[in-house]
Amino acid sequence: MENRKYNGKVILFGEYSMIFGSEALLIPYETVFGEWSSVINRPSERAFESNRSLAKFYNYLIENDRFRILDLKRFEMELNAGLFFDSNIPLGYGVGSSGALVAATYERYKLIDIEDVTRLKEFFAAMENCFHSNSSGIDPLQCYIGKPFVLRQQATNDRKQISFTTLDSNFISDNIHIFLIDTKIKSHTAPLVQHFKDLRNDKIYLNKFENEYVPLVSKCINSLIEKNDDVFFTDLYELSLLQTDLLSHTIPNATKEFFLTNVKEDGFQVKLCGAGGGGFLLGFSNNIEKTNQYLECRGKKISWIK
């Protein structure tokens, strides 16, 4: 088997709102990736640590009959021979470190293909629950597919059916540039998601999220794909403001000023990247020079991904 590289991922739109059945737009984060290797070929402390972590993942998989479609005997043998996952995807930053590992493990050890995308997402979610207590499975799905896509959900009697539409790599306007801001704070997804679920018990909060936030997510996705730049930045500004209201617990105090920037004055607009709480912030710019100047003056490290 050719040793494939599994890129990280970025959820451009849909974090949190996916729980309500909203659309989501995801792209690969192509400058970071993980791949299988051996401590024999690449010996280092990091390699041995990864091998030990993989052993814990193996123990999690072996305890659940659901994962019998994976060749876990082979997984165990290769672990004992020094297998590790060589990854430069940052941990706790919402860009797919566990998603890439789950996708890679499934592809390497699957005994059968799960062809139904809804069931595949559910299987990925069960695997990734080893790392996150309540995974959606969307991160591994993106890392497995490896292409930009829009995910759509439709509720049925007993479950949510999903479908996805892959997009060309150049689906975004040439005048829109995407970047990440490093908050230098490691994010912990589980408590953030749990707090959000607690907030949903408030009917006023729930109504505002469903009737204002979720439709704005779809508007941002549509205007970005349609390359309607002016409309997109207007929609994005409204979404960012709503995040400071409805998801304020996920925005570190030191970064809240960035959510109030205006693309006309500052050249960019930011939003959450994944669950928030630290990690990266996700930025959209129509003026690279202005954006660099604004953030460099504030000592922020940024990485351009488009």
Side-chain angles (χ1 to χ4, degrees):
M1 177 188 294
E2 183 179 347
N3 196 22
R4 174 185 162 187
K5 293 182 178 179
Y6 297 83
N7 293 118
K9 61 83 209 181
V10 175
I11 300 178
L12 296 187
F13 296 98
E15 69 289 321
Y16 290 106
S17 62
M18 277 189 287
I19 297 172
F20 290 83
S22 81
E23 296 177 319
L25 175 59
L26 297 91
I27 62 172
Y29 183 14
E30 295 181 340
T31 57
V32 295
F33 62 89
E35 61 182 339
W36 295 113
S37 189
S38 166
V39 297
I40 297 172
N41 297 329
R42 302 179 188 174
S44 69
E45 181 51 42
R46 188 170 64 87
F48 285 104
E49 176 58 33
S50 172
N51 177 265
R52 289 190 291 268
S53 296
L54 280 177
K56 295 177 184 177
F57 187 33
Y58 164 81
N59 289 333
Y60 169 81
L61 297 174
I62 201 73
E63 291 175 359
N64 191 324
D65 289 344
R66 181 174 190 173
F67 302 123
R68 285 184 176 178
I69 70 162
L70 302 175
D71 189 348
L72 297 178
K73 288 185 178 178
R74 179 187 164 206
F75 192 11
E76 181 183 27
M77 290 174 58
E78 292 186 338
L79 282 173
N80 292 335
L83 181 77
F84 79 100
F85 194 59
D86 193 2
S87 172
N88 63 359
I89 306 172
L91 301 175
Y93 270 70
V95 288
S97 57
S98 60
L101 172 58
V102 167
T105 302
Y106 169 77
E107 186 156 53
R108 187 178 183 93
Y109 297 108
K110 64 183 177 179
L111 296 171
I112 62 171
D113 280 308
I114 302 175
E115 296 182 355
D116 179 81
V117 68
T118 300
R119 295 191 182 280
L120 180 59
K121 177 176 170 289
E122 291 171 351
F123 189 76
F124 280 155
M127 291 179 70
E128 197 177 32
N129 281 342
C130 177
F131 310 101
H132 305 303
S133 59
N134 192 20
S135 168
S136 69
I138 190 69
D139 288 12
L141 187 64
Q142 166 59 49
C143 297
Y144 182 67
I145 293 170
K147 298 178 180 179
F149 67 77
V150 178
L151 178 139
R152 296 181 176 89
Q153 306 179 73
Q154 183 177 6
T156 61
N157 291 335
D158 58 343
R159 62 208 286 250
K160 286 180 180 176
Q161 286 290 132
I162 70 164
S163 63
F164 67 90
T165 303
T166 57
L167 303 169
D168 292 336
S169 58
N170 63 346
F171 76 93
I172 298 173
S173 165
D174 291 341
N175 297 319
I176 293 179
H177 310 281
I178 302 174
F179 62 94
L180 298 171
I181 303 174
D182 188 352
T183 66
K184 299 191 182 301
I185 302 169
K186 186 167 283 192
S187 175
H188 300 283
T189 300
L192 293 166
V193 173
Q194 184 56 52
H195 186 63
F196 172 68
K197 289 182 176 179
D198 294 340
L199 287 172
R200 291 189 300 165
N201 294 324
D202 183 325
K203 291 184 178 179
I204 296 175
Y205 181 94
L206 185 62
N207 181 67
K208 193 169 186 178
F209 201 94
E210 287 185 318
N211 295 311
E212 294 184 35
Y213 189 92
V214 171
L216 258 180
V217 169
S218 292
K219 287 177 69 177
C220 286
I221 291 173
N222 291 336
S223 56
L224 183 63
I225 291 174
E226 291 168 3
K227 299 186 178 181
N228 196 336
D229 298 3
D230 290 340
V231 173
F232 169 71
F233 277 111
T234 298
D235 295 338
L236 177 60
Y237 181 70
E238 291 181 24
L239 184 72
S240 297
L241 288 181
L242 262 183
Q243 288 188 339
T244 64
D245 177 18
L246 299 175
L247 297 168
S248 60
H249 67 286
T250 69
I251 303 173
N253 289 331
T255 66
K256 286 186 176 178
E257 67 168 292
F258 302 134
F259 284 75
L260 305 177
T261 58
N262 188 296
V263 71
K264 292 181 180 178
E265 297 175 6
D266 307 305
F268 73 99
Q269 182 66 50
V270 306
K271 62 178 291 295
L272 291 175
C273 181
F280 290 118
L281 295 179
L282 179 61
F284 295 82
S285 168
N286 66 358
N287 190 318
I288 292 177
E289 186 178 349
K290 263 190 177 182
T291 302
N292 280 332
Q293 184 178 16
Y294 183 102
L295 293 168
E296 286 174 4
C297 286
R298 288 159 178 78
K300 293 299 178 183
K301 179 183 177 183
I302 61 176
S303 302
W304 293 94
I305 60 176
K306 188 270 178 188

